[in-house]
Every structure is written in structure tokens, then in C-alpha cells.
Amino acid sequence: MSANNLVFVLGDQLSLNLSSLRRASRDRDQVLMVEVSEETTYVPHHKKKIAFVLSAMRHFAEELRRAGWQVSYVRLDDPDNTGSFTGELKRACAELRPRRIVVTEPGEWRVRAMMDGWAAALGRPVDILEDDRFVMRRQEFADWARDRKQLRMEYFYREVRKKTGLLMDGSEPAGGRWNFDADNRKPATGDLFMPRPRSHAPDAVTAGVLDLVSDRFAGHFGSLEPFGFAVTRADAQAAFDRFVEAALPSFGDYQDAMVRGEPFLYHSVVSAYLNVGLLDPISVCWKAEAAYRSGHAPLNAVEGFVRQIIGWREYVRGLYWYKMPDYVELNVLQADRSLPAFYWTGETDMRCMAEAIGQTKEEAYAHHIQRLMVTGNFALLAGIAPQHVHEWYLSVYVDAFEWVELPNTLGMSQFADGGILGSKPYAASGNYINKMSDYCSACAYDVKQKTGARACPFNALYWDFLDRNRSRLASNARLAQPYSTWKRMAPERKDAYLQSAAQFLERLRTGERV
Ligand code: FAD
Ligand code: DLZ
Ligand code: SF4
């Protein structure tokens, strides 16, 4: 058989309105989807992430077939599977002899570099189409960024609000302010009602994938079961609807809170669905706005939610493509320690880290403040090499794709880009974690003690971080206050902090339990 065009669909392109599918004909063209070991192992992905992507891919192939497409689907355990995108495309070309390959651009630079070699490798034209599942095109971001001295999400976000009309009353932002973040910092308490996200029992397709993953990826990080992610568009939509109904009204208030045994709090847990294409970002924002307009959810919650999606999500995507490929190498603070083994095991006496990592192992999920102010903050303060931190975040979360993970990790969390993405490092002592969580009351360390063996390690590490990065950070206006405190501190006190930090870092280096 000779297919007209071969439409190649990647594992995070599970959208019916994908640009490559819009270009194709159901009658004449053929869709190809492949499960390949190259993608399942380029970092040691969490078992749940592999299972989620493969099951969602298999369900999407069925959805396409039901919609009248001819889909050729290669499974990971197919004996002829070559293990790579390029190898599978070559095999499909030999069998189907398509005239051209049509593909939507990928989310990751790594895959884009491969794609650019396909025309030569396959001996036929390859049309690489824009991925227009984002509100802002890559070129729009580049145009916005080009003449600015500083890139700041807040200004970009306002442009997107105006472009989409989301939460706008005419030309003014709803409620008279663009940003209600200042209202969103309540610490939660364990006795609050916490709505759990919808869990989806595995169907036969997912059960088959779970068997495959448990067979092939036993050594990978994390627990495979119980597996409750949605893997179909309908279930992802139902999960989002439940969030709007039960959690969105309190999303803003408790956005930064952390509670033991409550991994999800009032978060939506939809990032993975958005990132693979099971949910459409702009549609979920319109639904959230409808909840505000109908009086179901307050403005601080809805604005906070919408800002994460049309603000941060769009901004980091624009920045990734604007700054890659050099961005991944940046290490402005010259951090060079290895990632401690407890990031993979969760075995540490620091309760906050044990909770965030333990939950990551179980759920392949941690919410933003856990990623930023616990595991990210620790790596920043301890001076872990940003590329090690990047590989960890890219591996362990179900929603991790490099275009979104890298700017968040390397830029926002590790400040390794020197302030391209954000204006200051997210560095904090134990006091912040104590204020926003109930972790410290169950910790072997004492958050109130500043130095010594029992003191919360974040306390001394915080001052050590500021001191060792003085030449790079002291001129940052947003750090003027802590640097002035450091400058005025008695020399003996400073020494005690630096010694405490040095002792802790030495224990970390030797692999002693901390
Ligand atoms: P909610 O809190 O309910 O927020 C709603 C949605 O907003 C999310 O689903 C997500 O799509 C979007 N969003 C929120 N914050 C961000 C952000 N900073 N950047 C981009 N989108 C955002 N997000 C990923 O999707 N993939 C990643 O690999 C990823 N890695 C991260 C690494 C670090 C170090 C940090 C600090 C953040 C990272 N984030 C990542 C952003 C954020 O933490 C997750 O999107 C969020 O925790 C997902 O949970 P949720 O769906 O419950 O989000
Ligand atoms: C993450 C992932 C995994 C684990 N496996 C596959 C796969 O077998 N086949 C596939 O097409 N995509 C997979 N993906 C998602 C890709 O890694 C993702 O599409 C690229 O990184 C481009 O963003
Ligand atoms: Fe984390 Fe320090 Fe609190 Fe322990 S005392 S939970 S290490 S912040």
C-alpha cells in the first residue's frame, strides 16, 4: 500500500485539533504513533509517568480510529520495534511509502534537533508545522521579548489577558487589578475539608500498560500503583470539572499551603492533561472564568488559576524556545554539588523534604510550592548543580516535559539563568516553610534553632547561600534587606551560621544521613 502522507503524532500531541491532523485527510493519509525506548528512558522517568503517557497514547489512537483515521500504532513490546522515532519512521516509510511526512513541532529541543534530520534520513519532505495549542505563538513571545531589558511574567501576562479577553471588563482587568496574589497566602490546617482529585480506575488498556511498565521499568523511580490518572479526554475533562466544582473556590487562599498527608490540597492536578493535549488550556480558563462570573468562585481564586495557565505556562514556553539551546547549560551561581541520594529515596530526617519526595514517589505529583520552596529551595541553598536538579525534575513528575520543566527548574527555582526568568532567587530559611506548612512540628530538626546539630538546616544554609553568592547577588534590589541584615550581624553569629552550614554540607558530601 502507498499512503499519501504520513502524519506522525508524538506522545504529548494527543489533541484532535493538532495542526498536523488539520492538514491531513482521513481518507488518504495515515497516522503513525510509536512507543519507543528512546523516549521512555532519555531520563529515568517515574513509572507512573511512563504508564500515563503510554496509556493516553493508546487511548488517543482509539479515539482517532473512531473518528475515521487510519492509525498505525507501534507498541513498545513489538518485536520489530527499533526503539527510536527515526528508526520507526524509517520502518514505516519502507512499508507505507508515503509521499511526505507531516508532523507538528515537538515540545522539546532534543526532539526538534532529531526532526530537522528526518528529511535527509527518510529521503522525503518533512513538513514541520507550528504547535498552535498555545495562546501565544513562539514568534509573538520573541517579538515581545526582543527589545526588553528584563523579561517579567507579569507584563507578558497582561498582554495575554488583553489578547484573550479573559477576566477583562472592557479594557480593564476584572476587579480593577491584574493580580490578586497578595490575597493567596493562607496556610492550611489539617482539619480543613480537602477535596481529593478524581481518581480513575484503570481499564483494560491501562491494565495492559501497567503490566508492561512493571515488567520493563521495575528499576525506575516511584510507585506504579495505585494508578488513578485520567488517560482519556472525557476523564480528564471530568477531573477538571470536579476541580472547578469542589476546589477552585479555595484554590487562591491555599495556593501556597503545605499539609502532611494532603498532597493535592486545592490544586487542580491537571498539568499532565494539559501538557499531553487531553485538555485545552484556553478552554479550561474560560470555564474557570465562568465559575467567577456565576458567583461560584471568588476572583482571587480564578485570577490565580488563570494566571498560572495563560501567564506562567505560556511565559515559560515562550522563554524556553527563545533561549534554547544555550539555556540548559546556564549555571550563573556556579553550583556544583551532586544531587543527594535522598532525592531518589526520600530517606532524610528533614520532614519537609521527606514529605515532598515521599509524595513525589507515590503520586508523581507535588504542587508548585513543594517543588519551589522545599525541594527546589534546598537544592538552591545547598549549591546542587542545576543540571542535576533539572534531570531530577524532568524524571519524577507526571507533567514533566522539558519546555515547561526546564525554565521552572533552572530559571525560577535555581536562579541558574541569573535572573532571565525571575527577578530574584526563591531562597528561604526554615521560617517560610514553618509558616506555610505543618511539617516542622513533626521534624527531627528544630526550626527555631538557628545553628548547631539540631537546628533546621535551611536556617544556616540560607545565610551561607547569601554569603557565598555575595558578589553575584548583593546588588539585587530585592535582596537588599537580607544582605543588610547579614552585613549588620555580629561576626561571631555569622561564623556560627557559616560553620553550621559547612558541617551540614560536609555530611551531605559524605553521604551521611541528614
Ligand atoms: P495548579 O496549581 O492547579 O495550577 C494550574 C495549572 O497552571 C497547572 O496545571 C499548570 O498547567 C499551570 N502552572 C502552574 N504553575 C506553573 C508554572 N510555574 N509554569 C508553568 N505552568 C504552570 N509544571 C509542569 O507542567 N511540568 C513540569 O515539569 C514542571 N516542573 C516544575 C519544576 C519546578 C522546580 C517548579 C518550581 C515548578 C514546575 N512546574 C511544572 C510548575 C508547577 O509546579 C506545576 O505546573 C503544578 O504544580 C502542577 O500542578 P497542578 O496541575 O495541580 O497545578
Ligand atoms: C514522555 C514520553 C514517553 C515516556 N514515551 C513516549 C513514547 O514512547 N512515544 C512518544 O511518542 N512519546 C513519548 N513520550 C513523550 C515524548 O517524550 C514527547 O513527545 C517529546 O519529548 C516531545 O516533547
Ligand atoms: Fe524542614 Fe527545617 Fe521545618 Fe524540618 S524544621 S521540616 S528541615 S523547614
Side-chain angles (χ1 to χ4, degrees), residues 142-160:
D143 292 342
W144 173 82
R146 188 164 301 113
D147 298 324
R148 281 166 198 266
K149 271 211 207 107
Q150 277 196 327
L151 307 181
R152 290 294 166 257
M153 192 288 291
E154 184 60 30
Y155 298 111
F156 174 79
Y157 165 58
R158 292 178 193 181
E159 296 302 313
V160 190

Side-chain angles (χ1 to χ4, degrees), residues 12-15 133 233 272-280:
D12 57 356
Q13 298 184 336
L14 312 182
S15 313
R133 296 175 299 165
R233 199 171 313 286
Y273 308 148
L274 291 166
N275 295 350
V276 301
L278 293 182
L279 289 179
D280 170 44

Side-chain angles (χ1 to χ4, degrees), residues 360-402:
T360 300
K361 277 174 83 176
E362 283 304 305
E363 310 286 354
Y365 176 86
H367 70 67
H368 186 67
I369 294 301
Q370 294 176 303
R371 298 186 203 195
L372 185 64
M373 300 311 294
V374 179
T375 43
N377 183 25
F378 181 85
L380 174 72
L381 299 184
I384 312 297
Q387 283 69 28
H388 292 200
V389 186
H390 157 51
E391 184 179 315
W392 186 77
Y393 279 99
L394 188 56
S395 307
V396 302
Y397 291 113
V398 66
D399 56 24
F401 295 88
E402 194 182 74

Side-chain angles (χ1 to χ4, degrees), residues 446-477:
D446 181 354
V447 72
K448 301 280 178 224
Q449 285 190 38
K450 305 294 181 200
T451 56
R454 276 209 63 232
C456 165
F458 285 80
N459 291 340
L461 287 177
Y462 174 73
W463 291 114
D464 188 64
F465 167 79
L466 288 180
D467 186 61
R468 72 172 184 270
N469 289 300
R470 244 187 352 258
S471 62
R472 301 175 191 106
L473 298 178
S475 58
N476 184 317

Side-chain angles (χ1 to χ4, degrees), residues 4-169:
N4 198 7
N5 291 334
L6 186 63
V7 183
F8 187 45
V9 174
L10 303 178
D12 57 356
Q13 298 184 336
L14 312 182
S15 313
L16 291 167
N17 68 343
L18 196 69
S19 54
S20 56
L21 290 169
R22 293 205 311 270
R23 170 74 76 84
S25 150
R26 279 165 228 237
D27 304 327
R28 291 191 312 273
D29 298 333
Q30 173 114 24
V31 174
L32 174 68
M33 296 178 70
V34 301
E35 298 174 1
V36 287
S37 57
E38 191 176 51
E39 294 306 302
T40 54
T41 55
Y42 70 89
V43 287
H45 303 286
H46 195 297
K47 295 188 197 81
K48 277 197 165 100
K49 177 181 176 188
I50 301 177
F52 167 69
V53 173
L54 299 191
S55 180
M57 284 176 67
R58 290 182 185 192
H59 282 92
F60 184 63
E62 282 312 313
E63 191 180 6
L64 286 177
R65 286 185 185 120
R66 282 196 302 274
W69 292 94
Q70 294 178 62
V71 183
S72 177
Y73 191 96
V74 180
R75 291 180 179 223
L76 203 58
D77 51 7
D78 180 329
D80 296 326
N81 192 327
T82 57
S84 72
F85 282 156
T86 310
E88 284 313 285
L89 275 167
K90 279 188 184 160
R91 212 156 65 86
C93 284
E95 191 191 328
L96 302 167
R97 285 175 284 115
R99 280 198 301 131
R100 329 173 62 84
I101 310 296
V102 181
V103 65
T104 292
E105 64 183 345
E108 302 194 349
W109 184 271
R110 177 182 63 83
V111 181
R112 177 68 205 217
M114 267 181 228
M115 239 177 223
D116 287 337
W118 283 348
L122 304 172
R124 44 194 31 92
V126 177
D127 299 336
I128 303 176
L129 308 179
E130 185 169 1
D131 188 350
D132 53 12
R133 296 175 299 165
F134 292 85
V135 180
M136 295 299 249
R137 307 168 66 145
R138 282 166 51 186
Q139 190 55 46
E140 279 177 291
F141 184 91
D143 292 342
W144 173 82
R146 188 164 301 113
D147 298 324
R148 281 166 198 266
K149 271 211 207 107
Q150 277 196 327
L151 307 181
R152 290 294 166 257
M153 192 288 291
E154 184 60 30
Y155 298 111
F156 174 79
Y157 165 58
R158 292 178 193 181
E159 296 302 313
V160 190
R161 288 272 293 275
K162 288 182 213 154
K163 175 173 173 174
T164 56
L166 271 162
L167 292 176
M168 296 297 290
D169 291 333

Side-chain angles (χ1 to χ4, degrees), residues 22 215 403 491:
R22 293 205 311 270
D215 259 14
W403 64 266

